[in-house]
Amino acid sequence: MIRLPAALLIAVVAAASVAAPPPQSIESFFDGAVGAQIAKGDAIGATVAVVQDGVVVLTKGYGFANREQYAPVWADRTLFRIGSVSKLFVWVAVLQQVNAGRLDLYADVNTYLEDFEIPANYPVPITLRHLMTHTAGFEDRVIGLFASGPRTVGDFHENLVKMLPARVMMPGKVTAYSNYGAALAAHLVELASGERWEQYVEGHILAPLGMRRTSPLQPLPQALNDGMANGYWREGAEEVAAGFEFVSIPPAGSISSTADDMAAFMLELLASGDTAVMTATSRDKLFERGFASDPRMNGVLHGPYETSSRGQRIVGHDGDTIAFHSALRLY
């Protein structure tokens, strides 16, 4: 039985659609909700960020980053693995390159690939839009996605070739979540920009947003590694430190970040007008519905997905490694 006791929880309230309670009430809510989870043993440590109206309302840490050393979680300097929330950085990068005219959402991805190609065993080619909406028709698997160290994780680009999944459905017909599809999209960004993925994210997203305690690197630089929270899993009756988890196709889930830095990222997603990271047109495309099995159902945007409920539009992304869980929601 695997337990997920380290969590990165991220919440956003956009005042255009929700009348939010005062900051003290928001903090009291999370104190109760997260405190109860930790008290029950459902989590060892957690961190929360809430933004509204272009400002940070709350960032706060709870519990322990390292239980053995009684090291507390600090919102501004404790890093958590954000898992598949990392994919939102991929989609922002894709739209940056679309805006620059180097990528086309509707072109066959084989147009850009150099070292391998996607087999043409369906009459409809796979496009970036299919990758963004998880409608490429790829088979997906979790086996092999995580490794315990740099020697066993392999090279991203070699893994991209070795782990090429089977095409099992016609593109554009069914949403089937694909870690590989997001990693492939990030590789197209590499080819369009001439920069390796890690370099691209740091230079075009993290640096402009001042996200100095966020990194896609595996392992982390020493300056950040000292602030990395321990994840824990259960072995028999014991909870043991999981160690740093390596992702074999990193863009799908390798980013580590703090609550303060993720607040900056959320503010960018909710911004209006052009910024140093996204144009208003790109941001509109990110949140435009790309696919739904039925118009009455929640669908997939161009990267984020809808979790709307009771008439309230909610979009975002979840993320899991084996020892960490994250949730980003935009209301």
Side-chain angles (χ1 to χ4, degrees):
M1 179 68 177
I2 292 174
R3 207 170 176 192
L4 306 174
L8 172 63
L9 310 176
I10 305 165
V12 176
V13 179
S17 57
V18 174
Q24 298 89 337
S25 297
I26 293 173
E27 184 172 10
S28 295
F29 168 78
F30 281 109
D31 286 351
V34 180
Q37 301 254 342
I38 292 174
K40 286 194 304 180
D42 291 337
I44 299 295
T47 191
V48 176
V50 182
V51 304
Q52 179 191 11
D53 281 347
V55 298
V56 178
V57 176
L58 172 71
T59 62
K60 191 167 183 177
Y62 297 87
F64 294 117
N66 186 310
R67 184 183 56 185
E68 292 72 29
Q69 298 176 7
Y70 300 100
V73 173
W74 299 100
D76 62 341
R77 58 183 185 269
T78 303
L79 285 80
F80 285 70
R81 305 307 300 280
I82 67 171
S84 286
V85 175
S86 303
K87 291 180 176 68
L88 293 177
F89 292 81
V90 175
W91 310 131
V92 169
V94 165
L95 291 170
Q96 286 177 336
Q97 291 302 303
V98 169
N99 184 66
R102 301 188 188 101
L103 290 176
D104 184 338
L105 294 183
Y106 302 94
D108 183 345
V109 295
N110 282 328
T111 304
Y112 305 106
L113 293 174
E114 297 174 354
D115 298 333
F116 67 101
E117 67 177 15
I118 308 300
N121 56 336
Y122 281 93
V124 176
I126 293 172
T127 67
L128 260 171
R129 189 170 187 272
H130 292 137
L131 301 182
M132 297 182 85
T133 56
H134 295 278
T135 58
F138 283 137
E139 181 180 54
D140 200 50
R141 64 179 185 178
V142 177
I143 295 173
L145 186 60
F146 294 103
S148 58
R151 288 190 299 176
T152 54
V153 72
D155 174 76
F156 167 40
H157 302 96
E158 291 177 2
N159 290 342
L160 208 57
V161 177
K162 289 190 299 186
M163 297 173 68
L164 177 62
R167 295 183 65 183
V168 295
M169 291 176 285
M170 183 79 77
K173 298 296 184 182
V174 177
T175 293
Y177 190 77
S178 178
N179 287 295
Y180 185 90
L184 179 60
H187 181 51
L188 299 185
V189 171
E190 290 184 318
L191 295 171
S193 66
E195 300 177 59
R196 290 183 66 88
W197 173 246
E198 294 82 2
Q199 179 187 8
Y200 186 92
V201 172
E202 289 174 349
H204 299 275
I205 301 177
L206 303 183
L209 294 178
M211 297 175 67
R212 296 180 181 87
R213 293 192 63 79
T214 300
S215 177
L217 294 174
Q218 303 180 131
L220 285 169
Q222 190 58 45
L224 297 180
N225 190 59
D226 291 345
M228 183 68 215
N230 272 357
Y232 294 85
W233 55 36
R234 184 174 286 281
E235 290 183 2
E238 267 189 272
E239 285 172 354
V240 299
F244 191 85
E245 301 160 280
F246 289 74
V247 182
S248 58
I249 43 176
S254 72
I255 288 178
S256 306
S257 188
T258 66
D260 276 23
D261 275 11
M262 290 305 295
F265 183 63
M266 293 188 295
L267 287 172
E268 172 60 33
L269 295 181
L270 291 170
S272 59
D274 296 349
T275 67
V277 173
M278 296 189 80
T279 64
T281 301
S282 296
R283 198 176 292 105
D284 288 345
K285 177 60 72 174
L286 183 74
F287 293 115
E288 177 187 293
R289 179 179 275 206
F291 180 85
S293 298
D294 183 284
R296 296 167 295 179
M297 297 174 65
N298 282 330
V300 184
L301 312 179
H302 285 77
Y305 48 79
E306 295 173 323
T307 56
S308 301
S309 178
R310 300 179 184 271
Q312 171 64 53
R313 190 179 191 226
I314 309 168
V315 305
H317 213 292
D318 288 347
D320 288 288
T321 67
I322 298 173
F324 287 84
H325 174 70
S326 62
L328 187 150
R329 292 291 182 271
L330 308 177
Y331 293 81

